[in-house]
Amino acid sequence: SEEARKYFRTVYDFPQWQTHRNQYRLMRRLFTIPQSHIIQNALPSILWVGVVSTSLAAYNTALDQHMLPDGFPSLTPNAACSAFITNTSVALSLLLVFRTNTSYGRWDEARKMWGGLLNRSRDIMRQGATCFPDDQVEAKKALARWVVAFARALRIHFQPEVTLESELKNILTPAELDMLAKSQHRPVRAIHAISQIIQSVPMSSIHQMQMSTNLTFFHDVLGGCERLLRAPIPVSYTRHTARFLFTWLTLLPFALYGTCGYAVVPVCTGIAAVLCGIEEIGVQCEEPFGILPLDVICNRIQADVMATLKDDADTKTILAEAGLSGLLPVSSPSYATANGNGNGNGNGNGNGNGNGVVMPQVSSTPASVPATMTVNISPR
Amino acid sequence: SEEARKYFRTVYDFPQWQTHRNQYRLMRRLFTIPQSHIIQNALPSILWVGVVSTSLAAYNTALDQHMLPDGFPSLTPNAACSAFITNTSVALSLLLVFRTNTSYGRWDEARKMWGGLLNRSRDIMRQGATCFPDDQVEAKKALARWVVAFARALRIHFQPEVTLESELKNILTPAELDMLAKSQHRPVRAIHAISQIIQSVPMSSIHQMQMSTNLTFFHDVLGGCERLLRAPIPVSYTRHTARFLFTWLTLLPFALYGTCGYAVVPVCTGIAAVLCGIEEIGVQCEEPFGILPLDVICNRIQADVMATLKDDADTKTILAEAGLSGLLPVSSPSYATANGNGNGNGNGNGNGNGNGVVMPQVSSTPASVPATMTVNISPR
Amino acid sequence: SEEARKYFRTVYDFPQWQTHRNQYRLMRRLFTIPQSHIIQNALPSILWVGVVSTSLAAYNTALDQHMLPDGFPSLTPNAACSAFITNTSVALSLLLVFRTNTSYGRWDEARKMWGGLLNRSRDIMRQGATCFPDDQVEAKKALARWVVAFARALRIHFQPEVTLESELKNILTPAELDMLAKSQHRPVRAIHAISQIIQSVPMSSIHQMQMSTNLTFFHDVLGGCERLLRAPIPVSYTRHTARFLFTWLTLLPFALYGTCGYAVVPVCTGIAAVLCGIEEIGVQCEEPFGILPLDVICNRIQADVMATLKDDADTKTILAEAGLSGLLPVSSPSYATANGNGNGNGNGNGNGNGNGVVMPQVSSTPASVPATMTVNISPR
Amino acid sequence: SEEARKYFRTVYDFPQWQTHRNQYRLMRRLFTIPQSHIIQNALPSILWVGVVSTSLAAYNTALDQHMLPDGFPSLTPNAACSAFITNTSVALSLLLVFRTNTSYGRWDEARKMWGGLLNRSRDIMRQGATCFPDDQVEAKKALARWVVAFARALRIHFQPEVTLESELKNILTPAELDMLAKSQHRPVRAIHAISQIIQSVPMSSIHQMQMSTNLTFFHDVLGGCERLLRAPIPVSYTRHTARFLFTWLTLLPFALYGTCGYAVVPVCTGIAAVLCGIEEIGVQCEEPFGILPLDVICNRIQADVMATLKDDADTKTILAEAGLSGLLPVSSPSYATANGNGNGNGNGNGNGNGNGVVMPQVSSTPASVPATMTVNISPR
Amino acid sequence: SEEARKYFRTVYDFPQWQTHRNQYRLMRRLFTIPQSHIIQNALPSILWVGVVSTSLAAYNTALDQHMLPDGFPSLTPNAACSAFITNTSVALSLLLVFRTNTSYGRWDEARKMWGGLLNRSRDIMRQGATCFPDDQVEAKKALARWVVAFARALRIHFQPEVTLESELKNILTPAELDMLAKSQHRPVRAIHAISQIIQSVPMSSIHQMQMSTNLTFFHDVLGGCERLLRAPIPVSYTRHTARFLFTWLTLLPFALYGTCGYAVVPVCTGIAAVLCGIEEIGVQCEEPFGILPLDVICNRIQADVMATLKDDADTKTILAEAGLSGLLPVSSPSYATANGNGNGNGNGNGNGNGNGVVMPQVSSTPASVPATMTVNISPR
C-alpha cells in the first residue's frame, strides 16, 4: 500500500552497516519473511496463484476420485503449458532484468541528484561566505535562507505530504514566504531569488558567474527530478511485462501439477512470491521520491548552511592568527583597499571614475540595514 | 499503426503513480490485453504464427486420419526443428536483450535531452532576468520570445504534425516569424537570434559567456536529437534480429507439435505474442520523438519562462524589503552607479572613456522603445 | 567484402522510419534474407559448416549401407561432442554478448563524436558571427572556411577514399589548401588555424576563451576517433571468440546427427547463419568509420555554417526592428561606444591608453582587405 | 567478521601484479581455499546447508533401514522441490547478478572519488604554488596544511577507527586543530578554510575561481561518499535476495537427495559456498570505505602536496636557467611589475587607485609572519 | 608469461582492419590456435584438467578390466558431480561475465585516458602557440619540451622497462633532466613545471586559466592511471572466481566420464581451454598498462607538439595573406597595441599605471634569451 512506502526511506550509519553485514543475516532474514513489505504488497498476486493452483489440485483430485460427473476434462499433465513455460522463461527473465535495472537506475539517479543538491548547497554557501564582502551580512543571511528554502520547496514539490507553511515559516520572512506561496512554480522562483541576491552584491562578476554555475546545477536537479516524476519507463514495457508475468504464473500450476501433485500449491506460491517480489521492487523504485529520505537531506542542508554562515567570522580569525594577513581584521579604509585587490575586475576598475561614490555607498549600506531583520532559522 | 504512437505520450503525476503501483495491477493488466497497442501492432506477425501452427495441426490430423492421398510426408515430430529451436534460443534472447536495452537507451537519451532543454530554458531566462540591466526591458522580452520560439521550432523539427504558423504566431512578431519561416535550418537560426540578443545587451562579458554556455547546450540538444533521428541502430542488427526471430517463430510449431498436438496453436501464438511484443516495443522506442509529449514540455517552457519574466520586478522588491540594499529601487543616477559595481567589467571600464555618453544612451533607449511593441505571449 | 560496407551508411528520415516500423516488417524481412549483406559476408563460414555436415551425413549413410570398406569408424552419435556443445553454449553466448555490446558501443561513440562535431561547428560559427566585431568580415569568412575544412579534413583522415583536393579546393584559398596538404597532421593543423583566426580578432578574451573551448572539443573528437581507429577491442578477445565459435560450429553436426539425420545439414547451416551473422555484425561495427555517412555530416556542417554566416546581418536587422537598440545599425562613433560596453574587458580597458589608435586601425582594416578574396564555398 | 575487512585493503604494485598473473595461480588458489576471508565470513550459512543436508541424508537412511517407527514420511525424491529449484534458478542468478554489479559499482565509485581527491589535491596545490604571489609564503603553507587536513578529516569521517588528534596534530596549528575538532561538520569546515585562504590572497579573481572549482569538486567528493554511506542499495532488494537465496539453498538437498544420496552433503555445501560467497562479496563491497586503503591515499596526498610546496622555488630557478625570463629571480620592484602583467585583473587594476598602499602591505606581511609558525608536516 | 604481454600492444591502421574483417578469418583463426598467447599462458591449468581426466579414464579402465586389486572404488558415473556441475554453471558464467566486463572496462578506461593525454597535449600546445605573445619564443619551446616530458615521464611511471635517461635526454636540458630525475614524484613535477611556464608568460589570465584547465586534466589522467595500477578488482572477487572455476573444471571429468568414456580427455581439455582462456584474458586486461602501446602514443605526442611549434609562424603568414589583418606581421609598436586589445584584461589594465615599463620589458626579454638554449628535440 501507499503508506508502506515510508518504511523504505532508509538512512544508514556505521551500526546499521554492521547489522547489514552480520554473518547470520541470511538465517535471520528467513524468519522475518512475513514482515517483508514487498511480500505484503505483492500479496494479491501471490494469493491469486495460490487460489489457481489449489483449485486445480482440488479439481483434479475430484476428477480422479470420480466425485465429478462424467464429461469433465482432465486438465493435467498439460504438455502445452509446459512447452509455453519452458520456451518463455528466458524471455521473462530478460524482461524482469530490464525492469529491475532500469528502476534501480531511476532510484539511483534521484538519489544522486538529491545528494548533488546537498553538495552544491554547501558549496554555494561556502562561496557566498567567502566571496561576499564582509559588510554584506544581510546578503549572506538571505543567501542562507533561500538556499534552504529552495531545498525545502523542492521537497514539497516531490513529497506533497508536507506544506510550504510548516516547512518554511521559520526560515523565510513573511513577505518572502507569501511570495513563494503565490508563485506559479515555487522551486523556479526560489532559484530566481538566489540569483537576484547574488547579482545584488557588489563583487567580481567572476565570482558571481561561479555561484551562478551552481544555480544552473540547481535547475538541472529540479528538471531532472521532474523528468523522473513525469516520465515513467515507457508504460508499454511495464504493461507487457506485467501481462506476461501474470499469464506465466497462471499457467505454471498446469505445467507442474503432473510432477508435483498437491505440492503444486506451495511450489507455485513460492515461485510467485519470488517473481512478483522482484516486479514489486521494480515498481516501488520506479517513482523514487516516495522512498527517499528527503526530509533528512533537507535537515542536513539546513544544518550545514547555517553552520557555514555562523562559523565564517570565526574561521577568518583563526586562519589570520596562523599568519594570513589577508584575513586580518583590518580597519575599514585599508580593508576596502584589500577588497579592491581581491575583487579586481569590479571595484578596481570602477575606482577610475567615481570610486568615491561607489565605495561609500557599499560600506554605508550594511551599517544601516542589519538591524531591520533577524534571521529566524532554527537548525533542526 | 502510426496513429497509435500518440497514445504512448504518457505524462504521469502522483495519482497516475498510485494507479501504477496499485496492488491489483497484475490482475487488471490481464483483462486489458486486447487493448494493448503493442499487441495490436504486432498482430500481423502473431497471426502468421497462428496460421502456420493451425495449418500444421490440420495437415497432420488429415494425414493421421488418412484424409490425404498417400505420399504426403509426415511433418512431425521434427527432431531437426527442435534442435534448431533449442540451440538458438540463447542467441535469440541475446539479440532481443541487445535491442531492448539499446532502444530504451535511445528513448531515455531523447527524454533527457528534452528535459535538459526545459532546465536550461528556465536557466537562461533566469540569467537574463538577473543579469540584463533593469532598463533593458525589450531585451528581456525578446529573450523570452526566442527561448520559447526555439523550443517550439525544435518540436516542429521532430514532430512535423504541427506548423510553425500555428505554434509561433502568438509568440514572435510577424517579421521575426517570417525570418524564422524562411530559414534554411530553423532551430539553428533561433539559437543565433538568442545569441545576438545576448550580445546586444550592455553587460559584463562574463555574464554573456555564461548565457552563451547555455546556447552551446541548446546546440548539443538540437544535434543530439537530430542524431537520434538520422541514425537508427545499425539496420543490419535490426534486420538480422527480425529475420532470426521470424524464422524461429515459424519453425516453433514444428518443434512443439509432437508434444502438444492441437494445443500447438495457442502455445505458439502466445509465445509469438510475447516475443513479437518485445520486438515491437524496441521498434517503437527506437525513434523516440513520436512517443514523447513534446507539446507538454513546450508549454511548460513557455509558462515558466513567462513567469520568470513577469515576476522579476516583484522578486527584487520583496528581497529588497528583506534588507538587500543592492536590490532597492534607487533613483536613476545612483542606480547607474550601483550597476557599475555589479557589472564591474563592462560598465566600470567604460567609465574611463566616455561614460557620460554610454550610460545616458542605455537608459534613454528603453524609455523610447517599450511602446513600439507588445509581447503577445499567451501562456497556455 | 569491403565494398559492401558502403551500404551500411544509412541516413533515416520520417518516411524511412515509417517503413522501419511497418507492421509487416517481420514477414518482409523473411523474404529478403538472400539480399542481406551480413549473410553474404559470413557466407564462407556458413558454407564450411554446410560442407562439414553434408560430408558427415554422406559418410554415415555410406557406412550404414556398407558402401565403405570395413574398419571405418562410426562417427555418431557422438556423446562427447554433445557434452562439449552443451557445456560451452553459455560461455559462447557470453563471449558473443560481450563482442556485440562492445562493438556497438564503439559505433555509437563514433557516431556521437561526429554528431558532436556538427553541433560544435554550428556553435563556433554562431559565436564567431555574434562575438566578432561587425567590421571583421574577413575573419568571419575565414572562420567559416576553416571550420568546414576541419570537418572535411577529418573525414579524409578516416575515409581515405576521397582526396583533400576534391573535398576542399572550393573551400580554401590555394595557399591555404597547399598549407593543409603539406601538413604533417592535417586536422591538427586545421584546428591550429582556427585558433589563430580567433586570436587575431580584437575582442574580449572571455569570448576568445569560450570559442577556444570548442576547439578543445574538436581535439577531443579528433583524438577520440583516432583512438577507435588505432585501438581495436583487444585482439585476444576477438580471436578467442572466433576460434571458439568456429570450433563449436564444426563440432555441432557431430552432436546433432544422431537425432536429426540428414536434417543436420539445414539445421547446422541455419545455426551457423545466425551465430556467424552476429559475429559478422560485431566485426563490421568494430571499425565504425567505414559504415558512417561522414559525407552527409560534412555537407550538413557546410550548409549550416554558411547559412549562419549569410544570415547574420539579416538577423540583426530584424531583431533591431523588434526594439533591441543594441542591434540598431548605428553610425560609426556611437557604435564603437556601444561595442566598448559589450566587450567590456578588451576595448573598454584599451580606451584608457590609446583608444584613438586601436579603434581606427581595426575599422580601417576590413575596408582595405575584403576585395582581395572571395569566399568560394558552394553549399552542396 | 568486521575485523577481516581490513584485509581487503589491497594496494598493488608491479610485483603484486606479476604474482596476480602467475600462470599457476589457479592451482595455487585451490589450495588456499581455507584461508579465504569470504568463505570464513559465509561460514554460518554454509554450515546451515551442511546441517540440513546431513540431517536429511541421516533421516532417509534411518527410514530406509527401518530404524524409525512407522509413520515417518519419506522426504525424497521430492519432485516439488526440484520444480521450485529448476524454475527459479534463472531468477536467482538474475538477482545475484544485479547485486554483484551494483555493489561493485559502489566500490568503484568510492575508489574513483578518493582517486579524484588525490588528483585534485595535487592540482590545487599546484595552482597555489604557481598562482599565489611569491611573497605569500604563509598562504602557500596554510593551503598545504588544510588540503592535507581535509583529506585526513574525510578519512576520519568514513573510517572512525582513527582520531582527529592522532591524524592531524602534526599538521595543523593547535588553534586550527581546535577549530576543526569543534566543528559541526569537519570536512565542510576544512573546505571553508581553504576557501578563505584562497580568497585572502591578492591575486586575479580568475585564478581564484579556478582554484575554487577544485573546492566544488571536494564538496562533490565529500557528498558523494556520504551518499554511499547513508544510502545502501534499497534494502528490499538485498533482503528479497537474501531470503530467496537462503530458501533456495535450504530446499536444494531435498531436490538432489534422490539422485545423489549421501553425496548430497558435499554437493550442497559446495554450491552453498559458491553462492553465499558471491552474496558475501556483494555485501562486503556495498559499504566500500571499510575495505579501501584510505590511509595510503592520505599519505600519498600529504607527500605530494608537501613535495610541491618544497620544490616550487627550485622549479622556478631551473626553468629560468632554461631561458624563461618571467621566472628569473628579479629584484623586488621590477618583480611587482611583472606580476602586474601576469595577474592582470587583480593587481593591475589596483594600481589605478592605491597601488602604493596595497603592494607594500602585501610584501611586508610575509616578512613579519614566517617566523611565527613552522609547518610541522612530516611526510610519511 | 610476462614477456608475451608485449605482443598484445596492437596498433591498427586501415590494412590491419581489412585483414581483421577478412571473410575467411574464422577458418584462418582455427589453424593458428597453437600460436595463441592466451592458450599458451593458460597451458598449466589446461594441462591439469588433461591430467585429471586422463588419470580418471585410465583408473576406470584398469578397474573395469580388473587390473587393480579389489576394494578400489568405482568413481563414475558420479551423479553428485553432475549435480554440482549443472547447478553451478549459471553462477560460473555469471562470475566470468562480471570479470570479463570489468577487466575490459579497465583496459578501455586506461586507453581513453592515454588517448585524452594525446588530445590535450596537442590542445595545450595549440593554446600556447596561439596565446603566448609572439616574442615568447623560449616559453613556447619550454612548453613543448615539458609537454613531451610529461608524457614520457608518465610512460616510465607505468612501463618501468625504459629509463628516464633514454627517453628524455634529447628533450630536456641537462639541468631540467636532473631536476626531474631527482623528484619525489616525476609526473607531478612535470605538470608543476608546465604550470610555472604558463604563469611566467605575460598574457591574459583568462588564457592562463584555460591552459591550466588542461593541466587539471593531466592530473586526472595521472591519478586515474595510478588508481588502475594500485587498485585491482577486489581480489576476493578474482580469487573466488578462480577457486570456483578450477574446482568446477576438476570435477568436470567425473561428471562426464559416464557418457563420454575416453573422449572425456579431449572434451574436458577443450572446455578448460575455452574457460581458462576467458579467465586469462580477464587477468591480462586487468592491469592494462603492460598491454598498451604507450611508446607509440608518446611518439605521436612528440611529433604533433613539435609540428605545431614549427608550423606556427607559417600558419600565421598564410592566414594573413587571406586577409586577416590581426595576423599581419606588424612593426613592434603597433603590434603591442593590437596585443593590448586581444589580451584585454592583462595588459590593458596595466596600461593605466606603468605600461611604459611593462611592455618594453616583455619585448626586450626574448631578444636577449633565445641564443642561450637550443631545443634538441628529434621527432621520432
Side-chain angles (χ1 to χ4, degrees), chain A residues 25 126 312 325 341 345 351, chain D residues 195-196 279 345 353 358 365:
Chain A
R25 64 181 178 279
R126 167 190 70 80
D312 191 41
S325 58
N341 275 304
N345 272 342
N351 286 342
Chain D
S195 190
Q196 291 286 12
E279 209 262 355
N345 272 341
N353 73 321
V358 178
T365 316

Side-chain angles (χ1 to χ4, degrees), chain C residues 195-196 216 230 353 358 365, chain E residues 12 123 126 312 325 341 351:
Chain C
S195 190
Q196 291 286 13
T216 302
R230 298 279 172 248
N353 74 321
V358 179
T365 316
Chain E
Y12 265 35
D123 194 53
R126 166 191 71 78
D312 191 39
S325 59
N341 275 303
N351 286 341

Side-chain angles (χ1 to χ4, degrees), chain E residues 296-318:
Chain E
V296 176
I297 299 176
C298 284
N299 291 347
R300 185 83 249 157
I301 289 173
Q302 182 163 340
D304 290 343
V305 161
M306 290 302 133
T308 298
L309 184 67
K310 193 163 61 70
D311 296 343
D312 191 39
D314 195 30
T315 309
K316 265 181 199 153
T317 312
I318 289 166

